[in-house]
Amino acid sequence: MPAFICPTCGTQYATSDKPPAACTICSDERQYVAATGQTWTTIEAMGPRYDNCFHHYEPDLFGIRTVPHFGIGQRALLVRAPGGNILWDCIAYLDRATIEIVRALGGVSAIAISHPHFYTTMVEWSRAFDAPVHLHAADKQWIMRPDPAIKLWDGDTLSLGDGLTLIRCGGHFPGGTVLHWAAGAGGRGALLSGDIVQCVMVRDYVSFMRSYPNLLPLSAPAVERIGRMLEPYPFDPIYGGFYDRSVPKDGKAVLKRSIERYVAAVRGDGSAELK
Ligand SMILES: [Zn+2]
Ligand SMILES: [Zn+2]
């Protein structure tokens, strides 16, 4: 039986004879159903039209994305670590070439995902690499393809070993999680942020939203909480959830000034100017 995928968000559903009646993820206010209506595909049907491409960002960090654009344009990041590689976030398309390349890079020991917009085909990736999937329990209602490999975690942090720490920031989703990589950037630390901390068009600011496509902001306290959660962790670059969305350096200062600007904007007179 096929496991249908929603092309708008990239979410794969449990196997079924017929496609789901609607996409639960796209029906939520943080996503949208395409104006042309709901359609469905499968990994097999994607085969002739799509490929994954790899980008080397720094030693032991590779990005993986699908071309042409699919879903919301998700980017996964493969972190190579002595105790086993971590796949951070996930993308919908997975083919034999990707499996062989990732195996040659050392495979995947565990998968961790920032929030439901990146759950995509996590079960396919989990099975291909025999790896568990760590998801925050606060978002379990958004798991559209349950599987024994999915491990729910609770609380504010989870260590994956090798200085890799999942940090629950909340915000965009209640279980919204980022990955701190202490060994990144030559030991200065790196933040892998999905769109919980959103890298934007300029590289000296980041921003935050409840819904990106529908422009629903987060409250000031929700964004201030993100700052508090990340306070103990040093980092220089921030790698966001999408191709070419990164802050190359000074991430700690970028985050601080971005939170100040954001809070001033939502609490103040409508401008983003600090008084
Ligand atoms: Zn969808
Ligand atoms: Zn999202």
Side-chain angles (χ1 to χ4, degrees), residues 4-54:
F4 288 99
I5 297 170
C6 168
T8 306
C9 68
T11 303
Q12 187 183 49
Y13 285 72
T15 55
S16 58
D17 278 337
K18 286 192 224 152
C23 175
T24 306
I25 301 295
C26 285
S27 303
D28 175 61
E29 68 182 5
R30 285 161 286 198
Q31 252 293 114
Y32 59 94
V33 177
T36 47
Q38 179 72 50
T39 58
W40 298 97
T41 188
T42 62
I43 283 192
E44 296 74 24
M46 290 174 71
R49 291 185 53 213
Y50 292 95
D51 291 296
N52 286 337
C53 66
F54 288 70

mmCIF file of all heavy atoms in Angstrom, residues 4-54:
data_model
loop_
_atom_site.group_PDB
_atom_site.id
_atom_site.type_symbol
_atom_site.label_atom_id
_atom_site.label_comp_id
_atom_site.label_asym_id
_atom_site.label_seq_id
_atom_site.Cartn_x
_atom_site.Cartn_y
_atom_site.Cartn_z
ATOM 1 N N PHE A 4 1.105 8.036 1.174
ATOM 2 C CA PHE A 4 0.912 9.268 0.403
ATOM 3 C C PHE A 4 1.628 10.448 1.055
ATOM 4 O O PHE A 4 1.721 10.543 2.283
ATOM 5 C CB PHE A 4 -0.580 9.564 0.242
ATOM 6 C CG PHE A 4 -1.253 8.632 -0.717
ATOM 7 C CD1 PHE A 4 -1.972 7.535 -0.251
ATOM 8 C CD2 PHE A 4 -1.147 8.833 -2.087
ATOM 9 C CE1 PHE A 4 -2.586 6.657 -1.136
ATOM 10 C CE2 PHE A 4 -1.757 7.959 -2.984
ATOM 11 C CZ PHE A 4 -2.478 6.861 -2.509
ATOM 12 N N ILE A 5 2.110 11.343 0.184
ATOM 13 C CA ILE A 5 2.817 12.554 0.604
ATOM 14 C C ILE A 5 2.055 13.763 0.091
ATOM 15 O O ILE A 5 1.651 13.805 -1.075
ATOM 16 C CB ILE A 5 4.250 12.575 0.023
ATOM 17 C CG1 ILE A 5 5.073 11.402 0.567
ATOM 18 C CG2 ILE A 5 4.950 13.902 0.310
ATOM 19 C CD1 ILE A 5 6.417 11.219 -0.134
ATOM 20 N N CYS A 6 1.887 14.761 0.944
ATOM 21 C CA CYS A 6 1.297 16.040 0.523
ATOM 22 C C CYS A 6 2.408 16.889 -0.114
ATOM 23 O O CYS A 6 3.391 17.212 0.552
ATOM 24 C CB CYS A 6 0.696 16.756 1.730
ATOM 25 S SG CYS A 6 0.259 18.472 1.369
ATOM 26 N N PRO A 7 2.265 17.258 -1.386
ATOM 27 C CA PRO A 7 3.341 18.014 -2.050
ATOM 28 C C PRO A 7 3.507 19.435 -1.521
ATOM 29 O O PRO A 7 4.571 20.027 -1.691
ATOM 30 C CB PRO A 7 2.910 18.052 -3.524
ATOM 31 C CG PRO A 7 1.764 17.127 -3.654
ATOM 32 C CD PRO A 7 1.154 16.955 -2.303
ATOM 33 N N THR A 8 2.491 19.988 -0.875
ATOM 34 C CA THR A 8 2.595 21.372 -0.397
ATOM 35 C C THR A 8 3.500 21.472 0.824
ATOM 36 O O THR A 8 4.281 22.402 0.960
ATOM 37 C CB THR A 8 1.194 21.928 -0.069
ATOM 38 O OG1 THR A 8 0.366 21.757 -1.222
ATOM 39 C CG2 THR A 8 1.260 23.407 0.296
ATOM 40 N N CYS A 9 3.387 20.485 1.731
ATOM 41 C CA CYS A 9 4.192 20.541 2.965
ATOM 42 C C CYS A 9 5.234 19.428 3.040
ATOM 43 O O CYS A 9 6.154 19.493 3.858
ATOM 44 C CB CYS A 9 3.288 20.501 4.197
ATOM 45 S SG CYS A 9 2.426 18.943 4.444
ATOM 46 N N GLY A 10 5.068 18.377 2.232
ATOM 47 C CA GLY A 10 6.036 17.280 2.238
ATOM 48 C C GLY A 10 5.759 16.215 3.280
ATOM 49 O O GLY A 10 6.560 15.292 3.454
ATOM 50 N N THR A 11 4.622 16.302 3.970
ATOM 51 C CA THR A 11 4.319 15.316 5.019
ATOM 52 C C THR A 11 3.856 13.995 4.420
ATOM 53 O O THR A 11 2.959 13.972 3.573
ATOM 54 C CB THR A 11 3.225 15.863 5.960
ATOM 55 O OG1 THR A 11 3.668 17.088 6.504
ATOM 56 C CG2 THR A 11 2.915 14.867 7.070
ATOM 57 N N GLN A 12 4.452 12.918 4.903
ATOM 58 C CA GLN A 12 4.022 11.577 4.488
ATOM 59 C C GLN A 12 3.078 10.993 5.535
ATOM 60 O O GLN A 12 3.328 11.113 6.742
ATOM 61 C CB GLN A 12 5.228 10.664 4.315
ATOM 62 C CG GLN A 12 4.881 9.305 3.729
ATOM 63 C CD GLN A 12 6.099 8.403 3.643
ATOM 64 O OE1 GLN A 12 6.840 8.254 4.607
ATOM 65 N NE2 GLN A 12 6.317 7.796 2.485
ATOM 66 N N TYR A 13 2.020 10.352 5.049
ATOM 67 C CA TYR A 13 1.010 9.760 5.925
ATOM 68 C C TYR A 13 1.207 8.246 5.993
ATOM 69 O O TYR A 13 1.898 7.656 5.163
ATOM 70 C CB TYR A 13 -0.394 10.118 5.399
ATOM 71 C CG TYR A 13 -0.735 11.561 5.706
ATOM 72 C CD1 TYR A 13 -0.108 12.595 5.017
ATOM 73 C CD2 TYR A 13 -1.617 11.889 6.729
ATOM 74 C CE1 TYR A 13 -0.369 13.930 5.323
ATOM 75 C CE2 TYR A 13 -1.885 13.215 7.037
ATOM 76 C CZ TYR A 13 -1.260 14.233 6.343
ATOM 77 O OH TYR A 13 -1.509 15.537 6.661
ATOM 78 N N ALA A 14 0.575 7.623 6.988
ATOM 79 C CA ALA A 14 0.624 6.168 7.124
ATOM 80 C C ALA A 14 0.076 5.521 5.849
ATOM 81 O O ALA A 14 -0.746 6.114 5.146
ATOM 82 C CB ALA A 14 -0.182 5.742 8.342
ATOM 83 N N THR A 15 0.529 4.321 5.558
ATOM 84 C CA THR A 15 0.100 3.657 4.326
ATOM 85 C C THR A 15 -1.421 3.495 4.301
ATOM 86 O O THR A 15 -2.060 3.244 5.333
ATOM 87 C CB THR A 15 0.756 2.264 4.209
ATOM 88 O OG1 THR A 15 0.452 1.511 5.384
ATOM 89 C CG2 THR A 15 2.267 2.388 4.053
ATOM 90 N N SER A 16 -1.979 3.650 3.108
ATOM 91 C CA SER A 16 -3.434 3.549 2.952
ATOM 92 C C SER A 16 -3.761 3.283 1.483
ATOM 93 O O SER A 16 -2.987 3.646 0.595
ATOM 94 C CB SER A 16 -4.120 4.840 3.413
ATOM 95 O OG SER A 16 -3.633 5.946 2.667
ATOM 96 N N ASP A 17 -4.899 2.658 1.247
ATOM 97 C CA ASP A 17 -5.356 2.403 -0.130
ATOM 98 C C ASP A 17 -5.582 3.692 -0.889
ATOM 99 O O ASP A 17 -5.185 3.840 -2.031
ATOM 100 C CB ASP A 17 -6.691 1.631 -0.102
ATOM 101 C CG ASP A 17 -6.437 0.153 0.096
ATOM 102 O OD1 ASP A 17 -5.325 -0.280 -0.232
ATOM 103 O OD2 ASP A 17 -7.347 -0.532 0.588
ATOM 104 N N LYS A 18 -6.274 4.614 -0.198
ATOM 105 C CA LYS A 18 -6.648 5.883 -0.829
ATOM 106 C C LYS A 18 -5.953 7.024 -0.105
ATOM 107 O O LYS A 18 -5.651 6.914 1.082
ATOM 108 C CB LYS A 18 -8.170 6.082 -0.698
ATOM 109 C CG LYS A 18 -8.980 5.211 -1.617
ATOM 110 C CD LYS A 18 -10.422 5.699 -1.614
ATOM 111 C CE LYS A 18 -11.363 4.508 -1.522
ATOM 112 N NZ LYS A 18 -12.623 4.746 -0.900
ATOM 113 N N PRO A 19 -5.732 8.137 -0.791
ATOM 114 C CA PRO A 19 -5.114 9.283 -0.108
ATOM 115 C C PRO A 19 -5.997 9.767 1.041
ATOM 116 O O PRO A 19 -7.221 9.604 1.011
ATOM 117 C CB PRO A 19 -5.030 10.359 -1.205
ATOM 118 C CG PRO A 19 -5.204 9.647 -2.491
ATOM 119 C CD PRO A 19 -6.008 8.416 -2.209
ATOM 120 N N PRO A 20 -5.386 10.395 2.063
ATOM 121 C CA PRO A 20 -6.191 10.993 3.140
ATOM 122 C C PRO A 20 -7.190 12.011 2.575
ATOM 123 O O PRO A 20 -6.973 12.552 1.487
ATOM 124 C CB PRO A 20 -5.137 11.689 4.011
ATOM 125 C CG PRO A 20 -3.846 11.025 3.667
ATOM 126 C CD PRO A 20 -3.956 10.590 2.246
ATOM 127 N N ALA A 21 -8.241 12.266 3.325
ATOM 128 C CA ALA A 21 -9.256 13.221 2.864
ATOM 129 C C ALA A 21 -8.688 14.635 2.802
ATOM 130 O O ALA A 21 -9.082 15.444 1.958
ATOM 131 C CB ALA A 21 -10.469 13.169 3.798
ATOM 132 N N ALA A 22 -7.766 14.954 3.691
ATOM 133 C CA ALA A 22 -7.150 16.289 3.721
ATOM 134 C C ALA A 22 -5.782 16.155 4.378
ATOM 135 O O ALA A 22 -5.500 15.153 5.044
ATOM 136 C CB ALA A 22 -8.031 17.255 4.514
ATOM 137 N N CYS A 23 -4.933 17.176 4.195
ATOM 138 C CA CYS A 23 -3.644 17.181 4.889
ATOM 139 C C CYS A 23 -3.798 17.939 6.203
ATOM 140 O O CYS A 23 -4.095 19.139 6.207
ATOM 141 C CB CYS A 23 -2.560 17.827 4.024
ATOM 142 S SG CYS A 23 -0.987 17.977 4.914
ATOM 143 N N THR A 24 -3.621 17.226 7.292
ATOM 144 C CA THR A 24 -3.785 17.825 8.624
ATOM 145 C C THR A 24 -2.796 18.968 8.836
ATOM 146 O O THR A 24 -3.145 19.995 9.425
ATOM 147 C CB THR A 24 -3.564 16.738 9.694
ATOM 148 O OG1 THR A 24 -4.439 15.650 9.408
ATOM 149 C CG2 THR A 24 -3.840 17.259 11.092
ATOM 150 N N ILE A 25 -1.568 18.797 8.363
ATOM 151 C CA ILE A 25 -0.534 19.821 8.549
ATOM 152 C C ILE A 25 -0.904 21.082 7.767
ATOM 153 O O ILE A 25 -0.804 22.204 8.283
ATOM 154 C CB ILE A 25 0.843 19.290 8.091
ATOM 155 C CG1 ILE A 25 1.235 18.029 8.875
ATOM 156 C CG2 ILE A 25 1.917 20.377 8.212
ATOM 157 C CD1 ILE A 25 1.456 18.211 10.348
ATOM 158 N N CYS A 26 -1.344 20.917 6.520
ATOM 159 C CA CYS A 26 -1.675 22.088 5.690
ATOM 160 C C CYS A 26 -2.989 22.742 6.108
ATOM 161 O O CYS A 26 -3.215 23.915 5.789
ATOM 162 C CB CYS A 26 -1.726 21.699 4.215
ATOM 163 S SG CYS A 26 -0.095 21.461 3.504
ATOM 164 N N SER A 27 -3.858 21.989 6.796
ATOM 165 C CA SER A 27 -5.126 22.569 7.243
ATOM 166 C C SER A 27 -4.947 23.441 8.481
ATOM 167 O O SER A 27 -5.872 24.158 8.875
ATOM 168 C CB SER A 27 -6.123 21.446 7.565
ATOM 169 O OG SER A 27 -6.301 20.625 6.425
ATOM 170 N N ASP A 28 -3.787 23.397 9.086
ATOM 171 C CA ASP A 28 -3.464 24.190 10.271
ATOM 172 C C ASP A 28 -3.105 25.618 9.844
ATOM 173 O O ASP A 28 -2.642 25.832 8.719
ATOM 174 C CB ASP A 28 -2.277 23.515 10.970
ATOM 175 C CG ASP A 28 -1.754 24.298 12.162
ATOM 176 O OD1 ASP A 28 -2.539 24.505 13.105
ATOM 177 O OD2 ASP A 28 -0.579 24.709 12.136
ATOM 178 N N GLU A 29 -3.293 26.586 10.729
ATOM 179 C CA GLU A 29 -3.047 27.982 10.343
ATOM 180 C C GLU A 29 -1.572 28.293 10.101
ATOM 181 O O GLU A 29 -1.233 29.339 9.572
ATOM 182 C CB GLU A 29 -3.613 28.940 11.389
ATOM 183 C CG GLU A 29 -2.884 28.912 12.728
ATOM 184 C CD GLU A 29 -3.518 29.855 13.749
ATOM 185 O OE1 GLU A 29 -4.567 30.445 13.443
ATOM 186 O OE2 GLU A 29 -2.947 29.982 14.845
ATOM 187 N N ARG A 30 -0.682 27.365 10.490
ATOM 188 C CA ARG A 30 0.743 27.577 10.228
ATOM 189 C C ARG A 30 1.153 27.100 8.837
ATOM 190 O O ARG A 30 2.306 27.202 8.459
ATOM 191 C CB ARG A 30 1.571 26.875 11.310
ATOM 192 C CG ARG A 30 1.531 27.650 12.621
ATOM 193 C CD ARG A 30 1.923 26.800 13.800
ATOM 194 N NE ARG A 30 0.867 25.867 14.150
ATOM 195 C CZ ARG A 30 0.769 25.244 15.325
ATOM 196 N NH1 ARG A 30 1.688 25.442 16.250
ATOM 197 N NH2 ARG A 30 -0.228 24.415 15.574
ATOM 198 N N GLN A 31 0.232 26.541 8.074
ATOM 199 C CA GLN A 31 0.494 26.123 6.694
ATOM 200 C C GLN A 31 -0.696 26.574 5.841
ATOM 201 O O GLN A 31 -1.471 27.443 6.234
ATOM 202 C CB GLN A 31 0.683 24.603 6.641
ATOM 203 C CG GLN A 31 2.140 24.174 6.400
ATOM 204 C CD GLN A 31 2.638 24.550 5.008
ATOM 205 O OE1 GLN A 31 3.534 25.384 4.864
ATOM 206 N NE2 GLN A 31 2.063 23.955 3.973
ATOM 207 N N TYR A 32 -0.860 25.980 4.684
ATOM 208 C CA TYR A 32 -1.966 26.369 3.807
ATOM 209 C C TYR A 32 -2.210 25.257 2.799
ATOM 210 O O TYR A 32 -1.291 24.528 2.408
ATOM 211 C CB TYR A 32 -1.628 27.667 3.058
ATOM 212 C CG TYR A 32 -0.386 27.534 2.216
ATOM 213 C CD1 TYR A 32 -0.470 27.194 0.861
ATOM 214 C CD2 TYR A 32 0.886 27.675 2.775
ATOM 215 C CE1 TYR A 32 0.670 27.015 0.106
ATOM 216 C CE2 TYR A 32 2.026 27.500 2.019
ATOM 217 C CZ TYR A 32 1.915 27.176 0.684
ATOM 218 O OH TYR A 32 3.050 26.987 -0.049
ATOM 219 N N VAL A 33 -3.457 25.122 2.380
ATOM 220 C CA VAL A 33 -3.776 24.212 1.285
ATOM 221 C C VAL A 33 -3.560 24.998 -0.011
ATOM 222 O O VAL A 33 -3.991 26.150 -0.114
ATOM 223 C CB VAL A 33 -5.230 23.708 1.390
ATOM 224 C CG1 VAL A 33 -5.577 22.816 0.198
ATOM 225 C CG2 VAL A 33 -5.435 22.953 2.701
ATOM 226 N N ALA A 34 -2.876 24.403 -0.982
ATOM 227 C CA ALA A 34 -2.587 25.107 -2.235
ATOM 228 C C ALA A 34 -3.879 25.620 -2.865
ATOM 229 O O ALA A 34 -4.921 24.953 -2.811
ATOM 230 C CB ALA A 34 -1.868 24.173 -3.193
ATOM 231 N N ALA A 35 -3.791 26.802 -3.474
ATOM 232 C CA ALA A 35 -4.985 27.413 -4.080
ATOM 233 C C ALA A 35 -5.584 26.508 -5.152
ATOM 234 O O ALA A 35 -6.791 26.552 -5.419
ATOM 235 C CB ALA A 35 -4.613 28.772 -4.672
ATOM 236 N N THR A 36 -4.752 25.678 -5.757
ATOM 237 C CA THR A 36 -5.238 24.769 -6.804
ATOM 238 C C THR A 36 -5.841 23.490 -6.225
ATOM 239 O O THR A 36 -6.278 22.621 -6.960
ATOM 240 C CB THR A 36 -4.068 24.394 -7.735
ATOM 241 O OG1 THR A 36 -2.938 24.033 -6.922
ATOM 242 C CG2 THR A 36 -3.691 25.568 -8.619
ATOM 243 N N GLY A 37 -5.870 23.380 -4.905
ATOM 244 C CA GLY A 37 -6.490 22.227 -4.254
ATOM 245 C C GLY A 37 -5.475 21.203 -3.786
ATOM 246 O O GLY A 37 -4.310 21.219 -4.178
ATOM 247 N N GLN A 38 -5.938 20.303 -2.938
ATOM 248 C CA GLN A 38 -5.074 19.271 -2.354
ATOM 249 C C GLN A 38 -4.746 18.192 -3.384
ATOM 250 O O GLN A 38 -5.640 17.670 -4.037
ATOM 251 C CB GLN A 38 -5.786 18.640 -1.147
ATOM 252 C CG GLN A 38 -5.006 17.540 -0.462
ATOM 253 C CD GLN A 38 -3.819 18.079 0.326
ATOM 254 O OE1 GLN A 38 -3.957 19.000 1.116
ATOM 255 N NE2 GLN A 38 -2.644 17.497 0.107
ATOM 256 N N THR A 39 -3.480 17.883 -3.521
ATOM 257 C CA THR A 39 -3.063 16.752 -4.346
ATOM 258 C C THR A 39 -2.167 15.847 -3.508
ATOM 259 O O THR A 39 -1.804 16.198 -2.378
ATOM 260 C CB THR A 39 -2.280 17.219 -5.593
ATOM 261 O OG1 THR A 39 -1.141 17.972 -5.154
ATOM 262 C CG2 THR A 39 -3.143 18.094 -6.495
ATOM 263 N N TRP A 40 -1.792 14.704 -4.062
ATOM 264 C CA TRP A 40 -0.968 13.737 -3.332
ATOM 265 C C TRP A 40 0.051 13.120 -4.265
ATOM 266 O O TRP A 40 -0.177 12.999 -5.459
ATOM 267 C CB TRP A 40 -1.851 12.626 -2.731
ATOM 268 C CG TRP A 40 -2.821 13.168 -1.739
ATOM 269 C CD1 TRP A 40 -4.135 13.498 -1.982
ATOM 270 C CD2 TRP A 40 -2.579 13.481 -0.367
ATOM 271 N NE1 TRP A 40 -4.719 14.001 -0.836
ATOM 272 C CE2 TRP A 40 -3.781 13.999 0.174
ATOM 273 C CE3 TRP A 40 -1.471 13.373 0.461
ATOM 274 C CZ2 TRP A 40 -3.894 14.405 1.490
ATOM 275 C CZ3 TRP A 40 -1.578 13.780 1.788
ATOM 276 C CH2 TRP A 40 -2.786 14.287 2.296
ATOM 277 N N THR A 41 1.163 12.709 -3.703
ATOM 278 C CA THR A 41 2.152 11.972 -4.474
ATOM 279 C C THR A 41 2.747 10.886 -3.585
ATOM 280 O O THR A 41 2.276 10.681 -2.457
ATOM 281 C CB THR A 41 3.238 12.924 -5.034
ATOM 282 O OG1 THR A 41 4.072 12.190 -5.928
ATOM 283 C CG2 THR A 41 4.099 13.539 -3.940
ATOM 284 N N THR A 42 3.749 10.195 -4.097
ATOM 285 C CA THR A 42 4.488 9.196 -3.316
ATOM 286 C C THR A 42 5.967 9.354 -3.651
ATOM 287 O O THR A 42 6.321 9.973 -4.665
ATOM 288 C CB THR A 42 4.064 7.753 -3.675
ATOM 289 O OG1 THR A 42 4.366 7.529 -5.059
ATOM 290 C CG2 THR A 42 2.588 7.509 -3.420
ATOM 291 N N ILE A 43 6.825 8.789 -2.822
ATOM 292 C CA ILE A 43 8.256 8.835 -3.129
ATOM 293 C C ILE A 43 8.524 8.187 -4.494
ATOM 294 O O ILE A 43 9.310 8.702 -5.296
ATOM 295 C CB ILE A 43 9.073 8.123 -2.024
ATOM 296 C CG1 ILE A 43 9.184 9.036 -0.802
ATOM 297 C CG2 ILE A 43 10.476 7.756 -2.534
ATOM 298 C CD1 ILE A 43 10.188 8.579 0.236
ATOM 299 N N GLU A 44 7.845 7.081 -4.770
ATOM 300 C CA GLU A 44 8.063 6.378 -6.036
ATOM 301 C C GLU A 44 7.691 7.275 -7.221
ATOM 302 O O GLU A 44 8.420 7.352 -8.213
ATOM 303 C CB GLU A 44 7.220 5.091 -6.085
ATOM 304 C CG GLU A 44 7.612 4.056 -5.039
ATOM 305 C CD GLU A 44 7.169 4.387 -3.600
ATOM 306 O OE1 GLU A 44 6.191 5.148 -3.432
ATOM 307 O OE2 GLU A 44 7.822 3.901 -2.652
ATOM 308 N N ALA A 45 6.563 7.982 -7.107
ATOM 309 C CA ALA A 45 6.121 8.849 -8.203
ATOM 310 C C ALA A 45 7.053 10.046 -8.376
ATOM 311 O O ALA A 45 7.157 10.618 -9.465
ATOM 312 C CB ALA A 45 4.681 9.333 -7.942
ATOM 313 N N MET A 46 7.740 10.442 -7.304
ATOM 314 C CA MET A 46 8.659 11.589 -7.389
ATOM 315 C C MET A 46 9.944 11.231 -8.136
ATOM 316 O O MET A 46 10.635 12.116 -8.656
ATOM 317 C CB MET A 46 9.030 12.078 -5.975
ATOM 318 C CG MET A 46 7.887 12.747 -5.227
ATOM 319 S SD MET A 46 8.392 13.124 -3.506
ATOM 320 C CE MET A 46 9.561 14.472 -3.770
ATOM 321 N N GLY A 47 10.263 9.938 -8.178
ATOM 322 C CA GLY A 47 11.553 9.475 -8.677
ATOM 323 C C GLY A 47 12.032 10.100 -9.977
ATOM 324 O O GLY A 47 13.162 10.594 -10.056
ATOM 325 N N PRO A 48 11.216 10.121 -11.025
ATOM 326 C CA PRO A 48 11.712 10.646 -12.305
ATOM 327 C C PRO A 48 11.938 12.159 -12.314
ATOM 328 O O PRO A 48 12.597 12.665 -13.213
ATOM 329 C CB PRO A 48 10.578 10.284 -13.284
ATOM 330 C CG PRO A 48 9.749 9.263 -12.589
ATOM 331 C CD PRO A 48 9.890 9.521 -11.127
ATOM 332 N N ARG A 49 11.381 12.877 -11.354
ATOM 333 C CA ARG A 49 11.396 14.345 -11.426
ATOM 334 C C ARG A 49 12.323 15.009 -10.418
ATOM 335 O O ARG A 49 12.602 16.202 -10.536
ATOM 336 C CB ARG A 49 9.966 14.890 -11.192
ATOM 337 C CG ARG A 49 8.998 14.593 -12.318
ATOM 338 C CD ARG A 49 7.667 15.268 -12.072
ATOM 339 N NE ARG A 49 7.811 16.698 -11.814
ATOM 340 C CZ ARG A 49 7.023 17.402 -11.010
ATOM 341 N NH1 ARG A 49 6.038 16.802 -10.377
ATOM 342 N NH2 ARG A 49 7.216 18.696 -10.839
ATOM 343 N N TYR A 50 12.753 14.280 -9.406
ATOM 344 C CA TYR A 50 13.470 14.942 -8.300
ATOM 345 C C TYR A 50 14.814 14.281 -8.025
ATOM 346 O O TYR A 50 15.019 13.093 -8.283
ATOM 347 C CB TYR A 50 12.620 14.903 -7.015
ATOM 348 C CG TYR A 50 11.383 15.763 -7.118
ATOM 349 C CD1 TYR A 50 10.162 15.211 -7.504
ATOM 350 C CD2 TYR A 50 11.436 17.132 -6.845
ATOM 351 C CE1 TYR A 50 9.022 16.000 -7.618
ATOM 352 C CE2 TYR A 50 10.308 17.921 -6.958
ATOM 353 C CZ TYR A 50 9.104 17.354 -7.342
ATOM 354 O OH TYR A 50 7.993 18.141 -7.462
ATOM 355 N N ASP A 51 15.700 15.095 -7.481
ATOM 356 C CA ASP A 51 16.995 14.614 -6.980
ATOM 357 C C ASP A 51 17.293 15.353 -5.684
ATOM 358 O O ASP A 51 16.761 16.445 -5.448
ATOM 359 C CB ASP A 51 18.122 14.915 -7.985
ATOM 360 C CG ASP A 51 17.990 14.067 -9.238
ATOM 361 O OD1 ASP A 51 18.103 12.833 -9.130
ATOM 362 O OD2 ASP A 51 17.754 14.647 -10.313
ATOM 363 N N ASN A 52 18.166 14.765 -4.883
ATOM 364 C CA ASN A 52 18.672 15.490 -3.717
ATOM 365 C C ASN A 52 20.070 15.996 -4.022
ATOM 366 O O ASN A 52 20.851 15.314 -4.693
ATOM 367 C CB ASN A 52 18.692 14.587 -2.482
ATOM 368 C CG ASN A 52 17.290 14.348 -1.947
ATOM 369 O OD1 ASN A 52 16.376 15.143 -2.195
ATOM 370 N ND2 ASN A 52 17.107 13.263 -1.222
ATOM 371 N N CYS A 53 20.379 17.189 -3.550
ATOM 372 C CA CYS A 53 21.741 17.670 -3.713
ATOM 373 C C CYS A 53 22.335 18.004 -2.345
ATOM 374 O O CYS A 53 21.620 18.283 -1.382
ATOM 375 C CB CYS A 53 21.821 18.844 -4.685
ATOM 376 S SG CYS A 53 21.016 20.323 -4.159
ATOM 377 N N PHE A 54 23.642 17.945 -2.292
ATOM 378 C CA PHE A 54 24.388 18.060 -1.040
ATOM 379 C C PHE A 54 25.229 19.322 -1.061
ATOM 380 O O PHE A 54 25.757 19.715 -2.099
ATOM 381 C CB PHE A 54 25.305 16.834 -0.855
ATOM 382 C CG PHE A 54 24.550 15.575 -0.516
ATOM 383 C CD1 PHE A 54 23.740 14.960 -1.459
ATOM 384 C CD2 PHE A 54 24.648 15.014 0.743
ATOM 385 C CE1 PHE A 54 23.031 13.815 -1.144
ATOM 386 C CE2 PHE A 54 23.946 13.862 1.070
ATOM 387 C CZ PHE A 54 23.139 13.260 0.126
#
